[in-house]
């Protein structure tokens, strides 16, 4: 086996999932994570269809994911007086299995911490790809050389920026922003819209989930106080319970603010560096990111094993397989669906949830995208044939 030392940037979902498979096939894996520790809680993520379940089953975690699942919950869409307009079914937002991102990350960490090296509170600052490996420098740690480097660090991937070029070349803003926050409100699972703006309380994503249309904004991704001011401006003058929520923003806990954007890359690999998960094909709030990350980790590790560590062959095969499967991320934009631009479009969106046949058709389409791949059997990973 060639190329046995691997650095993975990112310890959320894609990174630890890949670490699990690589350690099984004889690689020495180091995972570096910018955060000082695993991020607990967070928004709910979901898995859809037989392929996602098969990937979890092959990892041996399907039953534990089911044990920790949150369960899809119906969400009531209301008007400004709190009267019910429609119901968004839990099966639509929660897939087949729904689990908090932090719980899934903890589960993957538990399965890999003894066999892999985890380095928290650090990040990559430079990558020098050579014939014999990748020379890596870090913010805090000493420089090291690895055979391969994997960017599993999300839609704003640091590894992609260092190896492929600036984010502006690879990430397209889709005209909306979103926020997840704990605003200390007690509420049922309700959602309220005005043109270009949405607020949901108690739903599957977070205690408070907000989406609004906007031109591109200039802000620091890590400036939480600036994020709160942006939200206060965006939601000023809105009805229902929104003035109460805006008043709570200064004391908001666990606030996450970001754009709704899509990754558009010509390739997943460059030299000895390869992208995985949202770093390669993210589409914010697209509903497929977690399943794609878990399936992609299995395929990447499997192709490396099948190629005896030959990264050129493995990366080429990985991209050939995943690019077609990830095509769903190159379409769609959750922003106009969650925060329709006009009252008419809001009514049309709500009407869909009153027509069960339309909802079933939408669910069939998402299931087709989620299962549109054949999981190869990689003996070095599974030990025996498990192909369906």
């Amino acid at each position: 086996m060639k190329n046995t030392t691997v650095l993975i940037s990112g310890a959320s979902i894609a990174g630890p999932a890949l670490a699990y498979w690589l350690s099984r096939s004889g690689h020495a894996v180091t995972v570096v994570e910018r955060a000082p520790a695993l991020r607990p809680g967070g928004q709910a993520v979901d898995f859809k269809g037989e392929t996602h379940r098969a990937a979890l089953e092959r990892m041996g975690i399907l039953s534990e994911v089911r044990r920790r699942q949150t369960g899809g919950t119906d969400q009531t869409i209301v008007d400004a007086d709190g009267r019910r307009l429609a119901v968004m079914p839990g099966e639509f937002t929660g897939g087949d299995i729904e689990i908090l991102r932090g719980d899934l990350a903890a589960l993957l960490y538990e399965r890999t911490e003894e066999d892999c090296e985890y380095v928290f509170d650090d990040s990559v600052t430079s990558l020098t790809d050579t014939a014999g490996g990748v020379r890596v420098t870090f913010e805090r740690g000493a420089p090291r050389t690895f055979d391969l480097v994997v960017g599993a660090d999300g839609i704003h991937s640091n590894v992609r920026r260092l190896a492929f070029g600036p984010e502006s070349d690879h990430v397209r803003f889709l005209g909306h922003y979103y926020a997840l926050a704990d605003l200390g409100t007690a509420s049922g699972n309700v959602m309220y819209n005005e043109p270009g703006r949405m607020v949901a309380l108690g739903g599957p994503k977070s205690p408070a989930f907000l989406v609004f249309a906007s031109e591109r904004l200039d802000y620091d991704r890590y400036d939480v106080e600036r994020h709160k001011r942006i939200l206060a401006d965006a939601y000023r003058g809105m009805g229902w319970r929104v003035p109460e929520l805006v008043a709570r923003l200064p004391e908001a806990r666990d606030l996450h603010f970001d754009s709704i954007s899509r990754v558009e890359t010509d390739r997943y690999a460059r030299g000895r560096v390869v992208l995985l998960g949202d770093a390669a094909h993210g589409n914010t709030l697209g509903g497929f990111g977690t399943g794609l990350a878990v399936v992609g980790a299995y395929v990447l590790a499997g192709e490396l094993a099948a190629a005896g560590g030959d990264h050129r062959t493995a990366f080429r095969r990985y991209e050939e397989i995943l690019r077609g499967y990830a095509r769903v991320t190159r379409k769609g934009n959750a922003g106009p669906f969650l925060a329709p631009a006009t009252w008419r479009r809001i009514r049309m969106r709500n009407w869909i949830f009153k027509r069960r046949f339309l909802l079933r058709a939408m669910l069939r389409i998402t299931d087709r995208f989620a299962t549109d791949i054949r999981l190869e059997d990689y003996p070095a990973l599974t030990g025996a044939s498990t192909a369906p």
Side-chain angles (χ1 to χ4, degrees):
M1 175 75 73
K2 299 184 292 184
N3 296 325
T4 58
T5 61
V6 182
L7 173 69
I8 300 172
S9 176
S12 181
I13 307 302
L18 179 63
Y20 172 84
W21 289 118
L22 290 179
S23 64
R24 284 175 65 93
S25 56
H27 294 81
V29 180
T30 298
V31 181
V32 62
E33 167 58 46
R34 176 187 294 273
L38 289 179
R39 297 182 176 94
Q43 71 188 74
V45 297
D46 60 82
F47 296 96
K48 303 175 177 70
E50 179 183 354
T51 301
H52 292 180
R53 292 193 301 272
L56 296 174
E57 179 67 36
R58 293 185 188 192
M59 293 181 74
I61 63 171
L62 177 58
S63 61
E64 185 61 20
V65 169
R66 281 179 166 152
R67 190 183 72 79
R68 301 190 193 194
Q69 68 181 331
T70 58
T73 304
D74 292 350
Q75 192 160 41
T76 302
I77 303 171
V78 300
D79 65 13
D81 295 318
R83 294 172 298 201
R84 187 174 76 170
L85 299 174
V87 175
M88 188 181 297
E91 62 186 316
F92 181 80
T93 59
D96 296 339
I97 307 171
E98 182 184 87
I99 183 172
L100 292 178
R101 176 177 292 277
D103 289 351
L104 179 58
L107 177 59
L108 294 171
Y109 176 73
E110 291 165 7
R111 295 296 196 276
T112 55
E113 61 176 323
E114 292 187 1
D115 299 319
C116 304
E117 175 190 13
Y118 278 83
V119 179
F120 290 96
D121 199 23
D122 206 350
S123 65
V124 176
T125 56
S126 72
L127 299 168
T128 304
D129 198 336
T130 71
V134 185
R135 178 72 168 170
V136 184
T137 62
F138 300 89
E139 282 189 2
R140 292 178 173 80
R144 297 170 63 177
T145 298
F146 298 87
D147 294 325
L148 304 173
V149 172
V150 182
D153 43 357
I155 199 167
H156 300 294
S157 172
N158 183 43
V159 167
R160 188 187 60 230
R161 177 181 62 82
L162 292 170
F164 292 72
E167 181 172 307
S168 58
D169 291 347
H170 303 287
V171 178
R172 175 181 293 186
F173 172 59
L174 297 180
H176 291 75
Y177 289 88
Y178 76 101
L180 304 166
D182 184 351
L183 298 178
T185 56
S187 176
N189 299 320
V190 291
M191 173 176 164
Y192 174 70
N193 280 102
E194 289 183 13
R197 297 183 287 185
M198 183 278 282
V199 174
L201 299 177
K205 295 296 181 186
S206 177
F209 176 37
L210 303 93
V211 176
F212 65 95
S214 172
E215 299 295 323
R216 184 185 292 274
L217 301 173
D218 182 23
Y219 63 94
D220 183 335
R221 284 181 51 226
Y222 301 101
D223 186 350
V224 177
E225 294 308 312
R226 169 71 172 140
H227 302 166
K228 293 176 182 179
R229 292 193 296 271
I230 289 172
L231 290 168
D233 289 341
Y235 283 88
R236 185 171 290 113
M238 199 170 174
W240 189 55
R241 297 178 55 188
V242 177
E244 168 199 350
L245 302 177
V246 170
R248 291 174 176 267
L249 276 172
E251 307 303 320
R253 301 187 299 274
D254 301 324
L255 187 142
H256 174 78
F257 178 83
D258 205 349
S259 64
I260 295 182
S261 298
R262 177 169 58 228
V263 174
E264 298 178 344
T265 55
D266 293 332
R267 65 185 76 175
Y268 293 171
R270 177 166 291 177
R272 292 176 173 270
V273 180
V274 65
L275 304 175
L276 174 66
D278 282 353
H281 43 62
N283 187 330
T284 316
L285 305 179
F288 289 88
T290 305
L292 281 168
V294 171
V295 171
Y298 173 77
V299 173
L300 177 55
E303 291 300 326
L304 277 168
D310 179 346
H311 67 282
R312 294 180 182 85
T313 299
F315 290 173
R316 184 176 63 253
R317 283 283 299 146
Y318 158 69
E319 180 167 348
E320 288 172 355
I321 294 169
L322 255 292
R323 187 168 287 280
Y325 184 48
R327 72 186 185 281
V328 65
T329 65
R330 299 193 290 275
K331 305 175 181 178
N333 176 1
F337 182 83
L338 294 170
T342 65
W343 285 113
R344 180 174 180 271
R345 291 181 181 181
I346 291 171
R347 290 191 293 270
M348 289 177 62
R349 192 274 316 275
N350 294 346
W351 182 80
I352 291 173
F353 294 115
K354 297 178 181 180
R355 301 296 185 270
R356 299 297 297 181
F357 73 95
L358 287 175
L359 182 60
R360 286 195 296 270
M362 292 174 67
L363 291 172
R364 284 195 297 271
I365 291 170
T366 59
D367 188 67
R368 186 165 69 246
F369 278 122
T371 57
D372 190 23
I373 188 173
R374 180 184 182 276
L375 289 186
E376 297 292 335
D377 184 36
Y378 300 109
L381 304 186
T382 62
S385 178
T386 57

